[in-house]
Each structure stands twice: as structure tokens, then as C-alpha cells.
Amino acid sequence: MLEHLARVDLLDGPTPFQRLKRLEAVTGHRSLWAKRDDVAALGLGGNKLRSLEYWIGEAGRRGADILVVAGAPESNQCRLTAATAAKLGLDCLILHGGDPPAGEVGNLMLNRLLGAGIRFLGPVDEATRGRMARAAAEELAAAGRRPYLIGDLAVGALGYARAAEELVRQARSAGVDLRHVVLPGSMGPTEAGFLYGCALLDLDLTVHLVSVEYGADELETRIAAIVGKIEALTGDPVGDWRRRLRIHMDQLGPGYGRPTAESVSAVRTCARLEGFFLEHTYTAKTFAGLLRMLGDGAIPADQPACFVHTGGVPALFGQVAADPSLIAQP
């Protein structure tokens, strides 16, 4: 799938497809699974590795010798870019919004260990941070370097088009007629790529997006724009990808990055029932959404469903350091 596009293999094979037997016992559902993109080997794993396979493919095509990436201090994309650069022998410059914290934990600490160059830009908004990242890449080019700026949404989305194929292949090998997939709803590339892949393969799936950042209309608009760019990039248009899409707004709570009682409970539930971890910005609210769907019948008990764990677990350390009440006993 998409073999005509430049890609560098960073995953060393499919990520695990695991049955959630204890969660089944608690919820009464007959077939619950997790796609564990959080346990990919490189850089402590996460969904951005799939995007990086195509970003690095494009960087290699352009002869890049340094990767430039921008994000918040707890950005998983920045961590995995730094890890990929280290693995491939490239330099890496990370531009963080905000001021340097008093202590460095989680992803920021890992970025230091990985040897990335780090600049703090002060309290800038996302658009300004993007402009500053482009300016930094231009400065590097003027100095004789060959930078590649990480972040093209359509290129990055290709990784989850392949993920759709990988997941369904694993499900079929396990004898599972997968009917529902649950993903975080956020910036759009992961969601758009997965929906594009499902449409391209004509998969009979319902893709549930649990919004952690945007309203439903804005999220769908973002996804539609990225799907259009993917179609232009690949030359493979798809049909009505929207028929597979369901957006759930019940877990957003007070907003992006702000935990809710349900998401805090979901972190405990996942750890104590299945022995793996969630973080409080993306995966906890998504898992809480899964639990709500199982409870209200949006995912029927007899229809197999999969939670896609998009990773980001290192961010949990910084989140708890900032707010110890996140792990208080119920």
C-alpha cells in the first residue's frame, strides 16, 4: 500500500494487537482489543513514528542533514523526531513554545538525553511557533545546512493509512471481524490517514474519534482538508470516507490538556485491569470515551472493537509532577 511514496522503516514490524480480556469481563463486551502503537521500539513508541516514516522518507529524498521540529515541551512528536534523528545519525533542532521549566521531566528530559538542540521561544501561539520554525530552517539553510522541517500534515498522515491496513490484517489473522476502532480526535493527520486508509481499502469499519481538542465541525473540517491533500499527494482518490466517521464530544471537558474525572478514572482502570498506561491529554480521554461507548451501546457488545493506543506515555511523568492529584486514590 502506497509503495510508490518515499518511506523509511522505523517500526521493525507491526505493533501488537492485544485482547483486553479483563476489560471484557468488567464491561460484558465479547471482543475488545488494543492496537499498541505505544510500545514501538524506537524512542518509547507512539503514533508519530508512523508519520516520521514518511517525513524521513521525504527528508532523505531532499538530502537533509538536520531535522527541525516545533512543539510544546511535552510534545511526543518532538521526542520521536529526536529519537529518529539519533537513530539515523542526523542532527535535530527542537523549538519549544514557552519558557524553560524549573525542572525537566518526561519528554523534555528524554530530548536532552537524545542529544537534540533545544530552543525555547517564549509564550507564543501555535501559528507564531510555526513561523519561527520555518525561519529557523531558513537560517540553517543560509548557513549551509540542509534542514527538513517536520510537520507536513498530508505526508505525516500517510503513516496511519498504512496502519489501517496493518490493523485489519492483524485482526483477520486473529479471526476477528473488527467493526469499531476508537482513536483520539485532535490535530487531524492520524485521524485523516486512518480514515483515508479505510476508504482506500473499502473496510467495513466505524471509526470513532473522541475529541480532545476541537469542536466536531472544526475537527471534521481539518480532517477533510488533510484527506484532500492526501488524495492529491498519492493520486488515489477515495470515496465517501465520512460514512465511517463518528465524532464524540462527551470527553472534551474543560478543554485540551485539562483532565476530567472520567479521564483520570480511565488511567487507573487501564493500568489496573490491563497493565498498561495512558497519559492525560490524548489517550486517557479516548479510553474514557471507549468506556462510555461500551456503557451506552454505541459499540454493541457483540461487535469487536479496538482502542488504538497512540502512545505519549512519557508525558505522564510531567503531568503528574505538575499535578500530583492525578494519581490520588479514588
Side-chain angles (χ1 to χ4, degrees):
M1 184 175 181
L2 307 177
E3 298 300 334
H4 61 295
L5 299 169
R7 183 178 72 91
V8 173
D9 188 356
L10 299 176
L11 289 173
D12 297 324
T15 57
F17 178 64
Q18 297 179 339
R19 192 164 189 176
L20 305 179
K21 292 183 178 180
R22 293 199 67 209
L23 187 62
E24 289 176 356
V26 168
T27 62
H29 197 281
R30 300 173 197 169
S31 184
L32 292 175
W33 301 77
K35 177 64 169 161
R36 297 289 306 278
D37 277 6
D38 60 310
V39 297
L42 181 59
L44 296 181
N47 63 325
K48 297 304 182 185
L49 279 177
R50 294 189 184 273
S51 295
L52 279 158
E53 290 195 324
Y54 286 94
W55 284 328
I56 298 302
E58 182 63 16
R61 191 182 68 81
R62 299 185 188 186
D65 63 3
I66 181 169
L67 305 178
V68 180
V69 64
E74 282 300 326
S75 165
N76 299 302
Q77 182 168 298
C78 290
R79 164 178 49 90
L80 290 171
T81 299
T84 299
K87 178 74 172 177
L88 299 180
L90 299 169
D91 290 334
C92 180
L93 172 63
I94 298 175
L95 305 173
H96 284 314
D99 298 316
E104 295 186 355
V105 296
N107 284 327
L108 184 55
M109 178 268 291
L110 296 174
N111 294 340
R112 295 286 188 194
L113 287 176
L114 289 163
I118 298 174
R119 295 182 193 170
F120 285 89
L121 305 176
V124 298
D125 61 23
E126 186 176 334
T128 302
R129 188 180 68 202
R131 288 194 296 271
M132 295 176 79
R134 290 189 292 273
E138 291 168 2
E139 290 171 8
L140 287 166
R145 301 301 301 270
R146 300 186 302 279
Y148 179 77
L149 179 59
I150 295 292
D152 183 288
L153 297 180
V155 174
L158 297 172
Y160 263 80
R162 282 178 58 89
E165 180 184 38
E166 178 181 303
L167 172 58
V168 171
R169 185 170 61 246
Q170 288 176 303
R172 288 171 178 167
S173 295
V176 177
D177 181 19
L178 194 61
R179 302 290 300 280
H180 301 269
V181 175
V182 181
L183 281 163
S186 183
M187 290 292 291
T190 295
E191 305 91 299
F194 194 86
L195 285 159
Y196 175 84
C198 288
L200 190 64
L201 297 167
D202 195 23
L203 301 177
D204 185 19
L205 288 176
T206 299
V207 180
H208 300 269
L209 301 183
V210 179
S211 179
V212 302
E213 188 165 5
Y214 300 109
D217 289 345
E218 183 174 358
L219 177 56
E220 184 171 342
T221 297
R222 294 180 69 91
I223 292 168
I226 297 169
V227 169
K229 291 177 181 178
I230 298 171
E231 291 176 322
L233 182 64
T234 63
D236 291 320
V238 294
D240 184 15
W241 55 269
R242 284 182 175 86
R243 70 179 174 83
R244 297 170 175 83
L245 173 62
R246 302 290 183 274
I247 295 176
H248 301 263
M249 294 301 304
D250 54 324
Q251 300 300 321
L252 182 59
Y256 177 74
R258 301 177 67 182
T260 64
E262 282 187 88
S263 68
V264 172
S265 177
V267 173
R268 288 195 298 266
T269 297
C270 188
R272 295 175 187 183
L273 287 182
E274 296 294 346
F276 61 86
F277 302 102
L278 309 172
E279 51 70 48
H280 289 280
T281 300
Y282 301 99
T283 52
K285 289 184 176 181
T286 305
F287 198 83
L290 168 66
L291 295 176
R292 176 77 69 89
M293 288 177 238
L294 296 175
D296 66 16
I299 295 179
D302 61 347
Q303 295 184 6
C306 180
F307 164 72
V308 179
H309 193 325
T310 52
V313 173
L316 178 63
F317 296 94
Q319 292 164 352
V320 173
D323 183 2
S325 71
L326 292 173
I327 57 170
Q329 296 296 316

